[in-house]
Amino acid sequence: MNRRVSRVVGGWRTGLSRPVLILQAGNALNYFGYGLVLPFEIIYLHQVRGFSTSTAGLVLAATMGSSAIVTPPTGALLDRCSAKVLVVAGSLASAVGYAGFAFVDRPWQGFACSIVGGAGLGAAGTANRTLVVRLIRPEQRAAAFALNRVAGNFGIGAGATVAGFIVAAAQQLSSFQILYVFDAVTSAAFALIVLAAVPSPRAEIAMATDASGTGFRAVARDRLFLTVIAANIVLVVVGHTFFSNILPPFAKAHTPVGPAEIGIIILVNTAFIVIAQIPAVRLVARMRRTHAFAAASALFAVALLAVLPATLAHSALAATGILAGVAIVLAIGEIAHILVLGPLVADMAPAHLLGRYLSLYSLTFTGSLALGPAIGGRLLQTNPDAIWWGGALAAMLAGAVLLRLGDRIPDPLHEAPSRLAPAPEAA
């Protein structure tokens, strides 16, 4: 029994430093606040504030659209200045934007809050990833990205579950306002944690771009990297965004499930990732990166198609069971996807362009979180079923593109040399 316990505990050991662990604990708190509002953003804007679903989707898309716009400039700044400062500033801006959502009653106000909050999210998210990479050694990248995913999913899952029961108990304006205000509080608290407890890496990497003077032109010449990013934008849209942003309003409108069941479904997905993400590091390390991408794509396609039978269920229990299965299959795909994508981008990045490469990696998510609600919100009004079979087709096509890259992408199984110099010690 002791040996079995030791093996389980050993699977969760990351070997990461204390500052990185503190940073990820702060991320979990921040994501808890985000999880409070994530499943109910379209529901809140449509049913409580009276926006149409397409307008609500566009407001949500504007958040991630503004996040995407500020991400490349943030990447350029990160190659010159402190990632820690940008994490703090971005988190505070995000807090202001999301606090404002609690009081919007017209679309233009929603768009204004989206721009402020989204800009903060883009700056903080890109800086956060860069700060982590600079605080770790190259061989720790998979574990660091895995722990980041655990923190995010734990926070989102816990927040979504709490929010689901709050909304189920009282579906009124004040309930949603409390959720948005508390989301803002967690963003501000995260900024304070980073400011007080996380050191800044040495400045040598940040100054390296002064000697090169190449900037984003060098990134644009890396066609292989751009192909990887473009294909993964599709995977994030259909495999991540459709589940988190589009499935809740779809399920509420077309299946017997309610807000509490939606919270439980999100919890199933995030809990599975929290439990399995770190132990999966060793398993995924035995796979070719292109094979892992293909497996994730296939899992996404299967899960998306499995949403449709839930519309035929006649009870909330049956529909919840089907969608919980969807959540688990998507979680397995997300685990493989994240464990490969993050370390791959860091391996492909030259040291002096690390911030710029990671900014485009961030765009994989922010751009997708803008496209997903905009596309999904429109289809919710016109052809809801097309979200799932169309998403499955897109996932398979993106997986095929990544599979064809073969040996051209860096892969530890082929002892591909990393172009990134070892990370400096924390100051």
Side-chain angles (χ1 to χ4, degrees), residues 45-145:
L45 293 174
H46 174 56
Q47 295 188 357
V48 178
R49 292 302 187 180
F51 299 0
S52 68
T53 56
S54 59
T55 299
L58 288 174
V59 170
L60 186 54
T63 302
M64 295 306 160
S66 60
S67 178
I69 290 172
V70 305
T71 295
T74 301
L77 285 174
L78 287 166
D79 288 329
R80 290 182 166 87
C81 64
S82 169
K84 176 178 174 177
V85 170
L86 290 176
V87 170
V88 173
S91 298
L92 293 176
S94 176
V96 172
Y98 275 90
F101 266 113
F103 307 102
V104 301
D105 55 15
R106 296 182 181 180
W108 72 265
Q109 295 170 338
F111 283 113
C113 292
S114 293
I115 292 171
V116 176
L121 284 176
T126 305
N128 194 340
R129 293 183 178 99
T130 305
L131 181 59
V132 169
V133 171
R134 288 178 179 169
L135 289 171
I136 61 175
R137 299 187 301 274
E139 62 270 19
Q140 295 177 313
R141 287 172 187 155
F145 279 95

Side-chain angles (χ1 to χ4, degrees), residues 2 11 18 26 37 55 63 107 127 139 144 183 188 215 230 232 248 302 322 355 361 423:
N2 290 335
R18 186 169 176 268
V37 302
T55 299
T63 302
E139 62 270 19
D183 179 23
N232 277 286
V302 170
I322 293 171
Y361 168 77

Side-chain angles (χ1 to χ4, degrees), residues 6-405:
S6 297
R7 288 178 182 176
V8 172
V9 174
W12 275 78
R13 289 173 181 162
T14 63
L16 299 172
S17 65
R18 186 169 176 268
V20 175
L21 297 178
I22 292 173
L23 179 61
Q24 299 305 346
N27 275 324
L29 174 64
N30 193 21
Y31 278 113
F32 174 79
Y34 187 48
L36 290 172
V37 302
L38 180 62
F40 302 106
E41 289 181 287
I42 290 180
I43 294 172
Y44 164 65
L45 293 174
H46 174 56
Q47 295 188 357
V48 178
R49 292 302 187 180
F51 299 0
S52 68
T53 56
S54 59
T55 299
L58 288 174
V59 170
L60 186 54
T63 302
M64 295 306 160
S66 60
S67 178
I69 290 172
V70 305
T71 295
T74 301
L77 285 174
L78 287 166
D79 288 329
R80 290 182 166 87
C81 64
S82 169
K84 176 178 174 177
V85 170
L86 290 176
V87 170
V88 173
S91 298
L92 293 176
S94 176
V96 172
Y98 275 90
F101 266 113
F103 307 102
V104 301
D105 55 15
R106 296 182 181 180
W108 72 265
Q109 295 170 338
F111 283 113
C113 292
S114 293
I115 292 171
V116 176
L121 284 176
T126 305
N128 194 340
R129 293 183 178 99
T130 305
L131 181 59
V132 169
V133 171
R134 288 178 179 169
L135 289 171
I136 61 175
R137 299 187 301 274
E139 62 270 19
Q140 295 177 313
R141 287 172 187 155
F145 279 95
L147 184 59
N148 179 264
R149 192 66 180 169
V150 168
N153 279 272
F154 176 79
I156 288 175
T161 303
V162 171
F165 286 104
I166 291 175
V167 173
Q171 296 191 47
Q172 56 190 14
L173 174 60
S174 61
S175 299
F176 291 99
Q177 288 178 317
I178 290 171
L179 298 181
Y180 276 101
V181 169
F182 197 82
D183 179 23
V185 170
T186 60
S187 294
F190 174 60
L192 293 177
I193 290 171
V194 173
L195 186 63
V198 179
S200 294
R202 291 179 182 173
E204 285 82 0
I205 290 180
M207 297 301 294
T209 198
D210 293 338
S212 65
T214 51
F216 276 106
R217 291 183 180 180
V219 182
R221 288 194 294 268
D222 192 342
R223 301 299 175 84
L224 180 62
F225 171 70
L226 295 181
T227 300
V228 169
I229 290 298
N232 277 286
I233 286 176
V234 176
L235 291 182
V236 176
V237 167
V238 301
H240 299 245
T241 309
F242 278 3
F243 175 76
S244 60
N245 292 114
I246 304 303
L247 183 60
F250 175 87
K252 193 172 186 300
H254 299 282
T255 74
V257 305
E261 289 83 4
I262 291 172
I264 291 171
I265 291 165
I266 299 293
L267 176 63
V268 168
N269 173 266
T270 55
F272 191 95
I273 293 173
V274 168
I275 294 169
Q277 183 80 72
I278 292 177
V281 171
R282 295 177 178 82
L283 178 62
V284 176
R286 301 191 189 104
M287 301 175 65
R288 292 273 303 275
R289 280 174 166 169
T290 52
H291 293 173
F293 278 138
S297 303
L299 289 167
F300 287 159
V302 170
L304 292 170
L305 290 174
V307 171
L308 295 174
T311 63
L312 305 177
H314 298 293
S315 69
L317 180 61
T320 301
I322 293 171
L323 295 178
V326 168
I328 291 173
V329 176
L330 281 171
I332 298 172
E334 288 182 48
I335 287 171
H337 186 217
I338 295 301
L339 285 178
V340 175
L341 180 58
L344 173 61
V345 171
D347 284 351
M348 298 180 81
H352 65 283
L353 295 175
L354 177 63
R356 288 173 170 85
Y357 271 69
L358 287 176
S359 72
L360 294 187
Y361 168 77
S362 296
L363 274 178
T364 300
F365 296 91
T366 54
S368 301
L369 289 171
L371 289 173
I375 296 171
R378 183 64 178 175
L379 289 176
L380 281 174
Q381 284 190 316
T382 57
N383 190 0
D385 289 353
I387 297 170
W388 312 112
W389 59 259
L393 178 61
M396 294 305 297
L397 291 175
V401 169
L402 291 166
L403 186 61
R404 286 179 60 87
L405 295 179

